[in-house]
Amino acid sequence: MKKTRIASLLAAALIAAPAMTFAAAESSDNTAANKPYSSSDTFSCIGSVSKMFATTAVMQLVEQGKVELDAPVTDYLPDFRMADERYKDITVRMLMNHTSGIMGTTAGDFMLYNDRDAAPHDTMLRELSTQRLKTFPGDYGAYCNDGFGLLELIVEQVSGESFTDYIEKNICVPLGMQQTGTPWNAFRTDEMVKTFINGNVEVTPEYCMDLGSGGIMSTAAELCTFGSSFFKGDNRLLTDKSKKEMSENKAADKYEDGFGLGWDQVDYDDYKAAGVKVVSKGGDVSHQHAQLLVAPDEKISVSVLSSGGSSLYNSLMAEALMDIALADKGINVEHKAPEKKETLDTVPDKYLAYEDIYISAAGLNYVSFPDKKYMEIKTFTDDKTDIKQYKYTTEDSFVLMDGKIGSGKEIQAKNQSVLIFRERNGRDYICSDNCMDLGGMGNFSMSGYEMMRADKNPVSDDVQAAWDARSGKKYYLSSGKYSNVYYAEMPFVKVNTYPEIRGYVGGRKIVDADRAQAALVMPGGRDLEDIEVRTENGNEILDITNCALEFISEDAVPELKSDVTEVKLSTKKAVWYKLGKGDSKTIILDMPENSAVYVYDKYDRVTYSSYMKNYGNTVPLPSEGKIVFIGEDGGKIGITQ
């Protein structure tokens, strides 16, 4: 869960039948461009809830006989290619339920501050043409943004309209939604939600240009209206037959992601126990978050949008509102806290064979069973080694403990985590049942595949040494457009090797001295990244080959000397400088249009951005920090020191 401050702006709406509407807004400054607003007209990017719009659009084309769910994507996108012949087996349905096997997210310039650009749309097929698949199509569900970028293209190819126009004519107009659209027909509007970084520093809003995956913008009230189109018997957009198919869970078991078509979740144990079917979709962009929760049979639609926070918090609020609406109908939903597990002091011998290196989304882990008394998982991260200990239970599982086992002070963790071992397709995995106690906000439960046993990957001493030489080094984003949000959110990446684990760099398997491939083959394993290192003008460039992003080595970053009075700009070629050690100083910037500057402290935290509102062009430079200049060909930024 991403740790952020509680939402500074929040809007929620609820629709139930018979008609009932609830809306709320909370803000320390309830103006948008000096225009009063209410929660019903505050405009936000709904992030991945946009996937439901793309799915609905394709399902409409299915109902018209223009698309078949189980037909290959190539039937509708003849130019679709990948560097893996298995791409020919990817079907339209697989794009909707995240089982395509596509790596995840071709990011590039898909998230922009105060800007819009067609590049993510126009380059999607070209970017995918050089990518491999992480598994064979249909193997398992793993969240995949690129699949919905392809759905966007299918809508356009089959309908003959732009995605924006199709959504407007075939979803917004039938539902009477006048404040829902994409950056192409709703840009820089007065009612756009305020967004913040560093706690309370206002920045210009971000726009997602991967429309099918995350680019729809709406209000809480109108998103709630969209949710009401999934009520049973409502045929404004889709038939009940289509909506039923979208809400079916085809996962093999509870540990595999139970995606519907578009929906994140189509089965909730607590609601099912109360006899209620609930479906949901969440969405997150950098500073804006959304949740849509629908009970089709009870005809209840809840949406929560926020600036700041996360879709997890929005989900908890949406569930609380859903519970209230259900209670009004005489249906009471009980959300039980997890029961304490009965533990034993000895681990059965059968588990000793599982001692090994495992790969998770966090990277590399070492699983062991000290003296057969408990299980210990050592997670190797960038800056430290995290150690967790688990006691064996009478249910043939392992439960997380707080406090060192054997100290006499250990207790079962408040945030319960229960792990089990299982085999899938000849591989060993660890699966988890987690329940997070969020205090007054309730509990958040989730089951899934946690980690995969790593393959042995012997490499030569020379190859290992090449990656060891890069270990701990930072590489700074160099290929993003001047408006790319990643300069604020992910300005650098690191690669790490560990003496205990040869043949791997983070969770990637080393291929040769300059290439490493994501090794995770696991349900739920999303956004996997292959990396390749090349040398340009004597400097190392790290290319995340399936993300359309490049980073330059910190070794190539010079110091900003006092005689630097201007920086010449080139399109998508960021110019980085180190800031000297000593007392902070101030510079004055003379910036052209279509340019940006970011300043970071010595921990690479943003202290200044030209997208921060009311910060001007007088910029303090922190000791031992960094500064980056980004713009377009022919531009230059003047510096007065």
Side-chain angles (χ1 to χ4, degrees):
M1 181 186 69
K2 184 178 179 181
K3 294 182 178 179
T4 61
R5 66 190 179 90
I6 294 197
S8 61
L9 294 167
L10 183 145
L14 180 151
I15 293 176
M20 179 177 99
T21 303
F22 168 84
E26 177 181 314
S27 172
S28 57
D29 176 6
N30 67 340
T31 62
N34 298 317
K35 173 186 173 183
Y37 66 80
S38 68
S39 64
S40 61
D41 67 9
T42 305
F43 197 58
S44 299
C45 179
I46 63 173
S48 286
V49 181
S50 306
K51 292 177 172 66
M52 290 309 304
F53 284 76
T55 303
T56 298
V58 175
M59 291 301 292
Q60 288 178 332
L61 297 173
V62 170
E63 290 187 352
Q64 295 167 25
K66 297 177 180 179
V67 173
E68 292 184 15
L69 276 179
D70 295 309
V73 173
T74 52
D75 283 4
Y76 309 102
L77 299 176
D79 294 332
F80 172 48
R81 301 281 190 279
M82 295 189 74
D84 187 323
E85 285 298 303
R86 296 177 295 178
Y87 81 91
K88 297 174 183 176
D89 297 325
I90 299 174
T91 67
V92 176
R93 185 190 300 273
M94 292 174 187
L95 301 180
M96 293 181 178
N97 64 14
H98 302 276
T99 61
S100 67
I102 295 173
M103 295 289 279
T105 305
T106 302
D109 292 319
F110 84 131
M111 198 73 64
L112 305 176
Y113 278 128
N114 199 35
D115 191 17
R116 54 185 178 179
D117 194 318
H121 170 280
D122 295 347
T123 63
M124 171 66 74
L125 293 181
R126 186 177 76 225
E127 292 290 346
L128 288 175
S129 70
T130 62
Q131 296 183 22
R132 67 183 179 94
L133 292 174
K134 59 188 171 190
T135 188
F136 57 84
D139 184 11
Y140 55 75
Y143 202 85
C144 178
N145 286 314
D146 283 350
F148 290 81
L150 288 172
L151 289 177
E152 175 188 340
L153 297 181
I154 289 173
V155 170
E156 294 187 333
Q157 184 71 21
V158 174
S159 72
E161 300 180 85
S162 72
F163 185 75
T164 297
D165 286 346
Y166 184 93
I167 295 301
E168 171 68 19
K169 294 177 184 178
N170 297 282
I171 294 179
C172 296
V173 169
L175 297 180
M177 300 193 307
Q178 299 179 356
Q179 282 187 286
T180 299
T182 78
W184 295 113
N185 62 359
F187 185 59
R188 296 178 181 170
T189 61
D190 287 345
E191 65 270 25
M192 189 71 183
V193 70
K194 289 176 179 282
T195 55
F196 302 84
I197 63 173
N198 297 353
N200 60 358
V201 178
E202 187 177 357
V203 293
T204 58
E206 76 271 34
Y207 294 86
C208 180
M209 298 312 305
D210 189 354
L211 307 184
S213 173
I216 299 292
M217 296 184 292
S218 190
T219 66
E222 290 204 350
L223 183 57
C224 213
T225 297
F226 174 69
S228 72
S229 73
F230 295 95
F231 291 172
K232 186 175 181 179
D234 187 314
N235 296 315
R236 288 175 293 173
L237 299 185
L238 294 171
T239 65
D240 283 348
K241 179 182 178 182
S242 292
K243 291 181 286 189
K244 182 176 183 298
E245 185 159 22
M246 291 169 67
S247 66
E248 291 177 352
N249 181 0
K250 299 294 180 66
D253 56 54
K254 71 172 184 175
Y255 295 109
E256 295 196 10
D257 286 328
F259 299 116
L261 301 184
W263 296 112
D264 283 341
Q265 195 165 345
V266 296
D267 279 323
Y268 282 79
D269 290 341
D270 292 347
Y271 289 111
K272 186 185 291 186
V276 178
K277 172 80 169 180
V278 169
V279 293
S280 69
K281 184 75 192 80
D284 297 274
V285 292
S286 296
H287 313 309
Q288 302 169 67
H289 311 278
Q291 183 71 20
L292 176 65
L293 200 65
V294 180
D297 296 335
E298 283 69 28
K299 299 185 178 180
I300 302 170
S301 174
V302 183
S303 69
V304 180
L305 307 182
S306 67
S307 170
S310 77
S311 62
L312 170 58
Y313 298 146
N314 294 28
S315 174
L316 292 168
M317 181 173 180
E319 289 184 31
L321 291 172
M322 176 65 73
D323 291 352
I324 292 170
L326 287 170
D328 285 345
K329 294 176 176 289
I331 303 171
N332 294 311
V333 180
E334 186 177 2
H335 302 286
K336 295 181 179 179
E339 296 180 357
K340 185 177 179 180
K341 302 296 182 182
E342 183 180 349
T343 61
L344 301 172
D345 294 328
T346 303
V347 176
D349 289 341
K350 66 178 182 178
Y351 285 107
L352 304 185
Y354 289 102
E355 184 167 317
D356 210 339
I357 302 297
Y358 288 74
I359 304 170
S360 66
L364 295 169
N365 310 266
Y366 180 64
V367 176
S368 63
F369 303 90
D371 300 322
K372 293 176 53 178
K373 293 182 178 179
Y374 56 91
M375 178 171 70
E376 182 173 275
I377 298 181
K378 186 182 298 185
T379 300
F380 299 92
T381 61
D382 288 350
D383 303 311
K384 64 178 182 177
T385 300
D386 181 54
I387 296 177
K388 292 182 178 179
Q389 296 179 336
Y390 299 77
K391 294 198 75 170
Y392 182 66
T393 78
T394 56
E395 299 173 8
D396 196 27
S397 61
F398 294 84
V399 64
L400 178 65
M401 305 297 292
D402 284 338
K404 184 174 177 59
I405 293 178
S407 67
K409 298 180 180 180
E410 67 269 23
I411 59 172
Q412 290 188 33
K414 182 179 181 181
N415 292 325
Q416 189 181 82
S417 177
V418 178
L419 304 182
I420 67 164
F421 287 81
R422 66 183 306 157
E423 182 183 295
R424 185 184 189 278
N425 293 343
R427 289 183 178 271
D428 291 328
Y429 294 91
I430 298 177
C431 295
S432 66
D433 287 297
N434 296 320
C435 185
M436 195 182 312
D437 185 344
L438 298 175
M441 300 181 69
N443 297 314
F444 176 74
S445 299
M446 182 172 62
S447 300
Y449 277 73
E450 193 78 17
M451 56 187 73
M452 177 194 86
R453 193 170 193 162
D455 296 329
K456 305 302 180 189
N457 187 40
V459 297
S460 70
D461 290 343
D462 288 345
V463 168
Q464 183 68 46
W467 285 102
D468 288 344
R470 300 176 182 123
S471 185
K473 189 178 294 185
K474 290 182 178 180
Y475 293 77
Y476 289 86
L477 178 62
S478 60
S479 67
K481 189 179 182 181
Y482 61 86
S483 51
N484 194 312
V485 173
Y486 278 169
Y487 287 107
E489 295 292 300
M490 191 181 73
F492 71 89
V493 295
K494 289 174 70 173
V495 294
N496 288 85
T497 61
Y498 306 97
E500 304 94 327
I501 309 172
R502 283 179 61 90
Y504 283 86
V505 51
R508 302 176 184 91
K509 186 182 291 187
I510 295 173
V511 177
D512 57 34
D514 296 317
R515 293 182 299 151
Q517 288 189 341
L520 198 60
V521 182
M522 183 177 80
R526 62 173 290 179
D527 290 336
L528 303 186
E529 300 170 349
D530 295 341
I531 57 177
E532 182 175 316
V533 179
R534 68 179 188 275
T535 301
E536 290 184 4
N537 300 320
N539 300 318
E540 280 196 339
I541 304 293
L542 187 150
D543 184 355
I544 304 180
T545 57
N546 58 298
C547 285
L549 293 172
E550 295 182 354
F551 300 76
I552 190 167
S553 169
E554 61 181 294
D555 296 338
V557 179
E559 185 172 335
L560 183 68
K561 300 293 187 179
S562 59
D563 60 352
V564 177
T565 58
E566 70 174 27
V567 176
K568 294 182 179 179
L569 305 172
S570 299
T571 299
K572 299 182 72 169
K573 290 287 185 182
V575 181
W576 285 86
Y577 286 97
K578 297 174 184 175
L579 303 176
K581 184 175 182 179
D583 294 337
S584 300
K585 62 180 181 178
T586 298
I587 62 173
I588 299 174
L589 301 173
D590 181 13
M591 297 177 57
E593 290 187 12
N594 300 339
S595 66
V597 172
Y598 285 87
V599 177
Y600 310 84
D601 65 16
K602 65 180 180 179
Y603 303 107
D604 291 305
R605 298 176 301 199
V606 176
T607 60
Y608 169 86
S609 163
S610 49
Y611 288 107
M612 291 177 174
K613 291 194 173 183
N614 305 317
Y615 265 55
N617 62 348
T618 301
V619 183
L621 302 182
S623 173
E624 299 181 79
K626 289 184 178 65
I627 187 169
V628 63
F629 303 87
I630 324 107
E632 294 184 327
D633 291 340
K636 62 182 181 181
I637 295 177
I639 303 173
T640 302
Q641 299 200 41

